[in-house]
């Protein structure tokens, strides 16, 4: 694995861990002020993303695989991966492909864009 991919997967994992913990502050800390999310149900900003945790955790467990990274120029990179996860209150796992753009900010990275694409037609073993 490349060092950059490992670093960004660790950043992305912290976002998922915030969803499991219901930790809106940790979620918000990973997102830039101008964050934009594109999801099957519409667009979301930073407040929307962190706000989903107002009622507590939204995810029970998750597993990220197939990570790839593409540098996008100075201080920016695209991370893509497959996520398998179980939402709170659901009986069956879901799977999606995620594309996230990260920007180096100070000592670390912040997420500036994310798009989720449901993995349709792919059986979950």
């Amino acid at each position: 694995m490349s060092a950059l991919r490992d670093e960004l997967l660790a950043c992305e994992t912290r976002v998922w861990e915030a969803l499991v913990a219901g930790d809106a502050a940790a979620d918000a800390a990973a997102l830039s002020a101008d964050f934009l999310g594109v999801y099957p149900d519409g667009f979301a900003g930073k407040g929307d993303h962190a706000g989903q945790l107002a009622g507590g955790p939204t995810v029970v467990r998750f597993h990220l695989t197939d990570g790839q990274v593409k540098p996008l120029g100075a201080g920016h990179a695209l991370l893509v991966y497959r996520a398998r996860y179980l939402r709170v209150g659901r009986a069956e796992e879901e799977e999606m492909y995620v594309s996230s753009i990260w920007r180096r900010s100070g000592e670390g990275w912040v997420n500036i864009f994310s798009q989720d694409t449901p993995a349709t037609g792919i059986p979950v073993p």
Side-chain angles (χ1 to χ4, degrees), residues 33-108:
D34 60 346
F35 171 82
L36 173 63
V38 179
Y39 306 114
D41 60 348
F43 300 112
K46 178 178 181 170
D48 303 311
H49 198 279
Q52 70 181 316
L53 299 172
T58 58
V59 173
V60 174
R61 65 178 177 263
F62 67 93
H63 183 68
L64 310 182
T65 59
D66 301 330
Q68 300 177 42
V69 69
K70 303 288 182 197
L72 298 177
H76 291 81
L78 169 69
L79 174 68
V80 297
Y81 63 92
R82 182 188 305 202
R84 181 183 295 172
Y85 58 99
L86 178 64
R87 292 181 198 264
V88 170
R90 302 272 177 94
E92 293 188 29
E93 288 187 332
E94 297 173 60
E95 195 168 11
M96 67 182 167
Y97 294 95
V98 179
S99 302
S100 290
I101 299 176
W102 291 82
R103 177 178 62 220
R104 187 174 291 282
S105 176
E107 297 296 314

